[in-house]
Amino acid sequence: MFRRISCKSLMLLALPLSTLVGAQDFKPVEMIVHPVSGNVSYIEGSGGNMGLFIGDDGVFLIDDQYAPLTGKIVAAIGKLTDKPVRFLINTHMHPDHTGGNENFGKLGATIFGHDNVRIQMALSDYAEEPPLVTFSEDIRFHINGDTVHVFKTPDAHTNGDSFIRFMAANVIHTGDVYRTTTYPYIDVANGGSFLGTIKALDLLIEVSDSKTRIIPGHGVVSNVAEVRAVRDMLLIIRDRVITSIAAGMTLEQTQKAGLTAEYDPRWASATRIGSPEELLRAAYADLSP
Ligand SMILES: [Zn+2]
């Protein structure tokens, strides 16, 4: 979810990547495994929630947080199974979801992601290792007694977001298209879209039922009723921004008009990512004629 320092600026600074990532102290980070359904869990550490699916065919991992955390992640998985991480899928490109790619690749995992994850990581000059295998629409894994359907969402958080749906376990990992912590963050520079986020949540609602356990990119396990409430909030905000633009208001005026006031206590982040200002900026850009 973080904009990262480019390779070029890294070279200019002549510092190893670990030094800069190390500005965040990973030592106190603990990996907490939260069981979700059957053999599907999610791992909370620092960065995006990882999905974990274990079984006889091997470990299937969704996202891998930051490179310095790989050892802790491997140790947490090792308490549950002696099988290696065989498949790893990136829900999208951001470094708090892809930072461990290089490490897990060296440990033997094959890393998958949407075509745009790889393309956009190159365009944005990311230092992280991109997925090795990419797909344009969807891909299915037939492992550990379940079918895992990975499919591209409409451009939402970025232009390379996927949902990961465990068909028998009835669990969906949403990446950062959906989060329970703050407003959606829309990375417009990497192809994200406010209106696309609404469409992606529509799709999530469509493929879920009342029992589906939904693992967000950040936050805690959720359900379709909660997703619907977020989608409905975005529809209301959309309509208010349309009215604001029709009245000739600038972006700055729109951001100061209190359009999200009743939602801010629950959803506003204190930082730029997940803030109402950024949400309104993305909405304004999409809805401007
Ligand atoms: Zn993200």
Side-chain angles (χ1 to χ4, degrees):
M1 79 191 211
F2 303 113
R3 187 64 41 75
R4 81 155 307 108
I5 291 169
S6 73
C7 291
K8 283 184 194 113
S9 34
L10 282 175
M11 280 174 219
L12 284 173
L13 289 165
L15 288 169
L17 175 65
S18 55
T19 308
L20 288 165
V21 172
Q24 184 179 343
D25 183 9
F26 291 107
K27 282 204 193 77
V29 175
E30 278 182 56
M31 293 296 150
I32 304 166
V33 180
H34 300 269
V36 177
S37 175
N39 286 326
V40 181
S41 314
Y42 79 92
I43 308 177
E44 177 193 353
S46 175
N49 287 330
M50 286 171 285
L52 173 67
F53 181 33
I54 59 176
D56 290 341
D57 298 319
V59 174
F60 178 93
L61 191 62
I62 303 170
D63 291 340
D64 50 29
Q65 301 193 343
Y66 297 103
L69 295 172
T70 302
K72 292 186 184 202
I73 297 165
V74 168
I77 296 170
K79 286 183 188 159
L80 303 170
T81 175
D82 55 6
K83 301 274 183 188
V85 177
R86 188 169 176 190
F87 305 111
L88 199 167
I89 173 107
N90 292 143
T91 57
H92 65 292
M93 64 188 289
H94 286 152
D96 61 320
H97 299 256
T98 58
N101 279 5
E102 188 177 351
N103 293 337
F104 278 102
K106 283 178 184 159
L107 291 172
T110 305
I111 303 173
F112 297 77
H114 184 264
D115 291 339
N116 287 345
V117 175
R118 194 175 166 90
I119 292 167
Q120 203 66 35
M121 283 173 95
L123 288 175
S124 292
D125 211 5
Y126 271 29
E128 284 74 18
E129 189 93 356
L132 203 65
V133 183
T134 64
F135 57 89
S136 57
E137 296 292 330
D138 67 338
I139 188 167
R140 285 177 176 79
F141 296 84
H142 306 276
I143 52 163
N144 299 337
D146 203 345
T147 297
V148 186
H149 186 204
V150 181
F151 53 101
K152 170 81 169 63
T153 78
D155 296 350
H157 177 62
T158 66
N159 65 7
D161 305 307
S162 291
F163 288 149
I164 292 96
R165 184 181 183 197
F166 299 86
M167 304 303 291
N170 198 8
V171 174
I172 302 176
H173 189 300
T174 66
D176 283 2
V177 172
Y178 177 64
R179 61 180 69 205
T180 64
T181 47
T182 67
Y183 285 119
Y185 173 62
I186 292 146
D187 184 355
V188 175
N190 284 310
S193 158
F194 175 84
L195 294 176
T197 296
I198 294 173
K199 282 190 205 152
L201 294 180
D202 284 341
L203 176 63
L204 180 57
I205 292 162
E206 193 184 305
V207 298
S208 300
D209 62 40
S210 62
K211 293 199 172 74
T212 306
R213 307 267 282 156
I214 296 172
I215 304 172
H218 297 267
V220 296
V221 168
S222 184
N223 57 56
V224 70
E226 291 178 354
V227 174
R228 204 176 279 120
V230 170
R231 191 272 317 267
D232 291 349
M233 170 180 75
L234 296 182
L235 288 173
I236 289 168
I237 294 169
R238 176 198 66 183
D239 290 349
R240 289 174 183 172
V241 173
I242 289 172
T243 304
S244 170
I245 291 170
M249 287 166 76
T250 64
L251 169 62
E252 291 69 28
Q253 289 167 334
T254 302
Q255 286 169 319
K256 286 179 183 151
L259 301 188
T260 62
E262 76 264 45
Y263 304 118
D264 287 349
R266 165 66 181 89
W267 294 106
S269 158
T271 60
R272 188 178 69 82
I273 292 184
S275 67
E277 291 78 18
E278 286 302 304
L279 183 72
L280 290 166
R281 183 192 306 282
Y284 194 94
D286 268 9
L287 294 163
S288 293

